[in-house]
Amino acid sequence: MKRRNFLKKASATGFGLVAVSSTLISCDEVISSEKKIVTPILQPVRPLVIATWNTPLAVETAAKILQNGGSALDAVEQGCRVEEANEKGQSVGKGGLPDRDGNVTLDACIMDDKGNYGAVLGVKNIMHVISVARKVMEDTPHVMLVAEGAEQFAVSKGFKRENLLTAASKKKWEKWKVKAAYKPIINIENHDTIGMLAIDAKGNISGACTTSGLAYKLAGRVGDSPIIGGGLFVDNEIGGASATGLGEEVLKTVGSFLIVELMRQGKSPQEACEEAIGRIVNKPGKDFKNFQVGYIAVNKQGETGAYSIHEWFSYNLFKEGENKNIKSDYFNKK
Ligand code: SD4
């Protein structure tokens, strides 16, 4: 079969070659002459990094690791550390906004290409919680540690205790305290909670997610970010997904797991993200005007997707040597 005919036939039979960002490397040799079954061989796009919000430095850091032959796991850990150390970002790491009592508590999780997972929840005084989550995954038989136990574990592994409340975040909290209205409304326009997914040169996928959670949350509140299947899920056979926004809504729909399972059933990352947002906004009577949720996803071929409830969600994508911030498509077009 000639290549042109093959392409015509492939799109007519729903192979969707146009939408696939992978490179077609061969076609003739995979056409069985007896059954005429066409199986395009696609070369996945790699290395690749995708991360929530405007996080160019974090993505660049991860991309450099991958370009030097590093693993997706190292890439997502090191990428997330950039945002944890960025004091200007007020929803992650040092400089994160505190809970209503003035304590900065961090949540993080990491998942590798073998399906291993580690997380820490509600940790005070430790900046690089993503690395603590990795230690939980690699050095303990457990998957989650919380609060004081997680902090003690971190210290036992050589992490330094430090004050995470910066002067700028303290000032904002003090201003909030004047009225202390407990309305955990998530800012729709901009955040820096980082969920990151990467594919390395071997084609393996890993993911990580780190946050200080909702500003002025009740002490002890934990959102989706450190919860497997909520803020993050990776299945190396299929792809990965990560979430940002109002964690309660992500958790109620097990958003990241849902996206990966939808991709397993044949949906593209974009279609899967859109359906996951649909599960939130299409609940009868759901008033989604005042909260944001955004998803990113990647599949094994390196196709990516992103979708949010409202405008202004963006993500950074490193692909084919370029690192770009891209505005996500969204549901609430009015
Ligand atoms: C949470 N999903 O704790 C996080 C918040 C977030 O940018 O994404 N903020 O619910």
Side-chain angles (χ1 to χ4, degrees):
M1 193 187 284
K2 290 271 177 323
R3 182 182 158 87
R4 197 184 307 124
N5 290 341
F6 165 77
L7 288 173
K8 240 195 236 160
K9 185 171 173 157
S11 55
T13 50
F15 273 93
L17 287 176
V18 181
V20 175
S21 58
S22 317
T23 312
L24 180 69
I25 53 168
S26 171
C27 45
D28 298 272
E29 66 269 37
V30 291
I31 300 169
S32 145
S33 57
E34 273 168 22
K35 292 190 184 159
K36 300 263 185 278
I37 296 170
V38 181
T39 315
I41 297 175
L42 301 170
Q43 182 160 286
V45 175
R46 59 176 83 142
L48 181 146
V49 185
I50 184 167
T52 54
W53 302 109
N54 190 14
T55 45
L57 281 181
V59 168
E60 191 184 308
T61 302
K64 276 198 185 127
I65 290 169
L66 297 177
Q67 284 174 316
N68 290 329
S71 69
L73 185 63
D74 285 341
V76 293
E77 181 193 2
Q78 294 304 320
C80 282
R81 284 174 66 104
V82 171
E83 287 302 318
E84 288 177 340
N86 172 14
E87 292 184 21
K88 290 201 180 114
Q90 290 185 308
S91 8
V92 57
K94 188 154 184 169
L97 290 168
D99 65 14
R100 58 195 290 172
D101 304 330
N103 294 307
V104 179
T105 62
L106 305 181
D107 304 327
C109 75
I110 195 157
M111 202 165 175
D112 73 10
D113 55 284
K114 294 172 191 72
N116 295 312
Y117 161 80
V120 289
L121 289 68
V123 185
K124 291 181 196 159
N125 304 318
I126 306 284
M127 175 168 40
H128 289 305
V129 279
I130 197 64
S131 298
V132 186
R134 183 167 175 179
K135 291 270 181 226
V136 172
M137 178 173 83
E138 292 181 340
D139 295 1
T140 81
H142 310 302
V143 294
M144 278 189 203
L145 291 179
V146 307
E148 281 82 18
E151 186 179 333
Q152 277 163 23
F153 170 75
V155 170
S156 78
K157 291 285 170 187
F159 290 80
K160 222 178 49 217
R161 279 197 176 94
E162 62 189 292
N163 177 22
L164 301 176
L165 187 65
T166 55
S169 290
K170 189 165 181 227
K171 204 165 151 197
K172 274 202 178 174
W173 169 64
E174 275 163 353
K175 197 166 159 208
W176 170 84
K177 267 204 304 183
V178 175
K179 282 198 188 155
Y182 190 61
K183 284 192 198 137
I185 286 177
I186 196 116
N187 167 313
I188 282 168
E189 292 80 27
N190 197 18
H191 291 261
D192 33 41
T193 287
I194 182 162
M196 182 181 275
L197 304 159
I199 309 182
D200 62 27
K202 292 184 181 149
N204 287 326
I205 308 172
S206 293
C209 189
T210 182
T211 189
S212 53
L214 286 189
Y216 323 128
K217 60 196 175 187
L218 281 175
R221 180 266 182 194
V222 174
D224 60 313
S225 304
I227 305 298
I228 189 168
L232 178 74
F233 196 72
V234 172
D235 181 330
N236 198 40
E237 299 280 300
I238 305 296
S242 190
T244 181
L246 187 61
E248 281 75 1
E249 297 298 330
V250 175
L251 284 170
K252 284 187 261 181
T253 48
V254 201
S256 293
F257 182 70
L258 173 64
I259 290 170
V260 173
E261 290 307 301
L262 290 167
M263 292 194 292
R264 190 191 306 281
Q265 289 163 24
K267 294 223 186 288
S268 69
Q270 185 60 35
E271 288 166 342
C273 288
E274 289 179 20
E275 184 160 340
I277 289 292
R279 296 279 175 103
I280 298 172
V281 295
N282 294 329
K283 288 231 169 74
K286 176 62 85 182
D287 182 6
F288 53 81
K289 300 278 176 306
N290 286 326
F291 68 82
Q292 175 69 299
V293 170
Y295 287 116
I296 55 167
V298 66
N299 67 12
K300 194 72 178 165
Q301 287 72 40
E303 289 180 279
T304 56
Y307 203 62
S308 56
I309 300 178
H310 301 284
E311 202 178 353
W312 307 118
F313 174 50
S314 74
Y315 58 101
N316 258 83
L317 176 64
F318 173 87
K319 190 172 167 176
E320 285 155 355
E322 273 189 273
N323 180 6
K324 286 189 198 149
N325 183 256
I326 300 167
K327 212 176 145 192
S328 165
D329 194 10
Y330 58 97
F331 172 80
N332 188 23
K333 301 222 166 90
K334 282 160 201 150

